[in-house]
Amino acid sequence: MVIIMLGAPASGKGSVAEILSKEFNIPAISSGDIFRKYISEGTEIGQRANSYMTKGQLVPDDLTVELITSRLKEDDVQNGLILDGFPRTVNQAKVLDEMLTKEGKKIDIVVNLETPEEEILERITNRMICTNSDCKAVYNTVLHPSKVEGICDKCGSPLYQRDDDKLEKAKNRLEVYHRETAPVADYYKETGALYSTVLSKSVNRMKDEVARDVINYLKNK
């Protein structure tokens, strides 16, 4: 099974992907986590990716595809996977289709999360992340704060705010998303794989309900 998660930054892709991962027993792979892993290791490819990410820009297609291609060859994804944050451009979507076709696989569903922009900015700018790379728990100082300010509930490590979660860079990320990534939904709509749904506190539809609907859709399909 191959599931693609689409949506603006902080729309809830990772949270829904985590639930789907447990339900279908397949790994959820975040392109951002892959980039940050290479960056933290100080690799040449990580430094190249970081030069774009620190500016709130998309990592170029050729560099992104190079990283994702390597990841898709690993043993744990051979029975299925959930991609969160890739593809981010129509060109990447076409390359992914070619990659999967060569492996005899296809995309089962593209989950497109729609969330109001003001709510997205609130989530991004109030997001705090555990510094422990083995934990990476995510909190929100307004919606989901840790019990002790600045400390992870799960492992006790300090929390931090990513540089690209600050307001100006968050706004820039949204502009880039609307310009570069939003058209990917139109691409998948034409293929018949798109499943658009709202994830927003304003209509009381959050991650658990959205994930349940996706699970039921896939099982019925």
Side-chain angles (χ1 to χ4, degrees):
M1 178 178 290
V2 178
I3 299 173
I4 307 295
M5 300 297 306
L6 289 184
S11 59
K13 298 188 300 297
S15 297
V16 175
E18 183 179 355
I19 297 172
L20 298 179
S21 174
K22 293 177 181 178
E23 173 69 22
F24 296 112
N25 194 30
I26 54 177
I29 301 172
S30 163
S31 61
D33 286 345
I34 295 175
F35 294 156
R36 284 184 281 274
K37 175 179 181 293
Y38 281 94
I39 291 169
S40 66
E41 292 174 350
T43 63
E44 185 270 337
I45 196 171
Q47 292 174 2
R48 286 162 55 199
N50 193 42
S51 68
Y52 296 95
M53 294 175 67
T54 54
K55 298 174 185 175
Q57 298 174 349
L58 287 182
V59 178
D61 284 357
D62 57 346
L63 183 54
T64 299
V65 169
E66 183 179 344
L67 290 166
I68 299 297
T69 299
S70 177
R71 182 65 180 88
L72 294 183
K73 292 179 180 178
E74 297 184 19
D75 292 339
D76 64 329
V77 302
Q78 298 313 304
N79 292 325
L81 70 154
I82 302 168
L83 278 173
D84 168 10
F86 182 87
R88 293 190 178 185
T89 67
V90 172
N91 182 61
Q92 289 179 10
K94 292 177 179 178
V95 171
L96 178 60
D97 284 344
E98 293 172 0
M99 292 165 55
L100 292 174
T101 298
K102 289 179 181 178
E103 298 293 326
K105 300 176 181 177
K106 67 177 182 64
I107 295 171
D108 292 275
I109 188 173
V110 178
V111 181
N112 182 42
L113 301 181
E114 300 175 345
T115 304
E117 187 165 310
E118 63 273 14
E119 192 171 330
I120 286 174
L121 286 174
E122 180 185 54
R123 292 180 191 177
I124 292 176
T125 56
N126 290 296
R127 182 162 54 188
M128 300 292 287
I129 301 173
C130 180
T131 55
N132 181 354
S133 60
D134 293 326
C135 177
K136 295 185 295 187
V138 179
Y139 299 87
N140 184 290
T141 56
V142 175
L143 302 174
H144 173 49
S146 57
K147 294 177 182 177
V148 177
E149 184 177 354
I151 301 296
C152 178
D153 295 345
K154 296 182 179 180
C155 70
S157 299
L159 304 177
Y160 78 106
Q161 183 183 46
R162 291 195 325 224
D163 188 54
D164 60 353
D165 283 348
K166 294 175 182 177
L167 183 59
E168 287 308 310
K169 288 190 176 180
K171 288 181 177 179
N172 185 61
R173 288 167 64 195
L174 279 177
E175 290 176 4
V176 172
Y177 168 78
H178 289 302
R179 183 175 66 249
E180 302 286 347
T181 306
V184 176
D186 294 329
Y187 171 81
Y188 283 122
K189 185 176 182 179
E190 292 181 4
T191 70
L194 191 70
Y195 178 95
S196 290
T197 185
V198 174
L199 195 160
S200 171
K201 66 178 182 179
S202 63
V203 293
N204 198 29
R205 269 185 61 82
M206 300 305 286
K207 63 179 183 180
D208 293 328
E209 184 174 358
V210 169
R212 184 175 67 249
D213 288 348
V214 172
I215 291 167
N216 290 335
Y217 175 84
L218 282 169
K219 288 183 175 180
N220 291 331
K221 184 180 178 182

